[in-house]
Amino acid sequence: MHERSSVGELAEQLRRELDRYSPGGKLPSSRALVERFRVSPVTVSRALAQLAAEGLVVTRPGAGAFRAQPRVSAAPAGDTSWQEVALSADGAADLVPRSVDASGVLVSLAAPPPGVIEFNGGYLHPSLQPERAMAAALSRAGRRPGAWGRPPMEGLPELREWFARSIGGPVTAAGVLVTSGGQSALTTALRALAPPGAPVLVESPTYPGMLAIARAAGLRPVPVPVDADGVRPALLADAFRATGARVFVCQPLFQNPTGAVLAPGRRGEVLRIAREAGAFVVEDDFVRRLVHEDAGPLPRPLAADDPDGVVVHVCSLTKATSPSFRVSALAAHGPVLERLRAIQIVDTFFVPRPLQEATLELVGSPAWPRHLRAVSAALRARRDAMTAALRLHLPELALPHVPSGGYHLWPRLPDGTSESALTAAALRAGVAVTPGRPYFSAEPPAGHLRLSFAAVAGAGEITEGVRRLRTAWDEVLG
Ligand SMILES: Cc1ncc(COP(=O)(O)O)c(C=O)c1O
């Protein structure tokens, strides 16, 4: 027998017989194979080496050859299903499993299909964005000396100063970190303040993107109901007592989704309750600059009335500019600042300097106050157009609160209405709306829709969108 083919033939023979041995089981000795197959010891050792190269056999010098344990993956190349195990296996010991789910956030970020009216957008329509002023600011910023250099890790001093002034009260530039948008600032804050497995008190309902951050960090969101005056203090105190939580996330101004403003009498109470519980309040002041023209004077941020370092304040410029203008701030005082700073540096280093310089150019230009006034007037007109259209075409929808800031309404659905059937029918009719369910971290008390009036082209689209919603309504409930 020619040596090479006899190696191949023996390997094939052994391959066929491997099933006789259990995984890890010993194969006959080389001498036994030599005798049985009448081949040379070299042929036996080459045949075994071939099977070993194929991963079918393991040879241990001095001990013999063994059937290999089943391969970790018998999957074809390109099969990534192993990652499902890898991504969850570590969580086996976690008290609260981590889950990363972007769907709640993507609803307000994704572009709707062509021809669909966007009542689910979370940012200003391009026609309301200060596009020219941003472009001019960016081009001036790019020419500033050192614009492409490394900025201080905490942010440009002038920008920290500007944020501190706009927050007010005891907040100083030294207590401000420049961050990359509200989402990133909230992530830093939650990671800094609560270890995996810890409870975190959240308003109910609340912004799904924040719930997603909490879950991705392995935190356990515990809902505290909100009414027309913001979070209910007695329930907040109960929740702190029941959970021992050290963090409460709150949107005191034009809360997303309800539009509620924390009542003056509750502001101090919330801070006192948190202070007594030894807990932080993360204040997400996300739409202060989207106040409507007819609103009265705005309450200050909670951080402006907080001498004890209870509040970790988050504010972002994206809502008043563009989702791409990802500049925001975290403000705090006390040792927590160092923790926030460390996490921010570890996670992202710093916000690109040209963007920080552009922010200074933008907010320092005469176009900025003009832009804010224009947005204020436009949002009021859009809110009124949507409210009027809903009252005319969909009187069945309850609108308990019409906000004087922010960019959306939060109508309540009649009991028993299926949010998912209605949102699906709406999309078929040509209008994208957001269902209320993702805003609740536990079972919702009622069905809702969130209808944004900022991301559409104007009042005409708003009326048309409401008409389409009526069509969907008749299909589902008619
Ligand atoms: C309540 C709230 N906070 C924070 C954010 C994050 O916004 P950004 O990361 O664009 O600043 C959003 C976005 O929709 C929001 O609704």
Side-chain angles (χ1 to χ4, degrees), residues 123 181-183 186 207 251 256 284 286 316 318-319 326 407:
Y123 295 93
Q183 190 73 6
L186 286 171
Y207 166 51
Q251 300 164 43
N256 181 6
D284 183 5
F286 77 118
S316 168
T318 59
K319 295 292 179 188
R326 304 205 65 70
Y407 52 87

Side-chain angles (χ1 to χ4, degrees), residues 295-341:
L298 293 188
R300 309 196 313 162
L302 289 180
D305 294 319
D306 165 41
D308 298 333
V310 170
V311 177
V312 172
H313 177 91
V314 173
C315 57
S316 168
L317 288 174
T318 59
K319 295 292 179 188
T321 55
S322 139
S324 279
F325 209 94
R326 304 205 65 70
V327 176
S328 59
L330 267 169
H333 65 285
V336 70
L337 191 58
E338 188 46 39
R339 174 82 62 88
L340 293 165
R341 179 178 174 276

Side-chain angles (χ1 to χ4, degrees), residues 232-248:
R232 292 172 55 187
L235 295 176
L236 180 66
D238 286 349
F240 272 124
R241 263 193 303 275
T243 61
R246 299 279 179 200
V247 187
F248 166 50

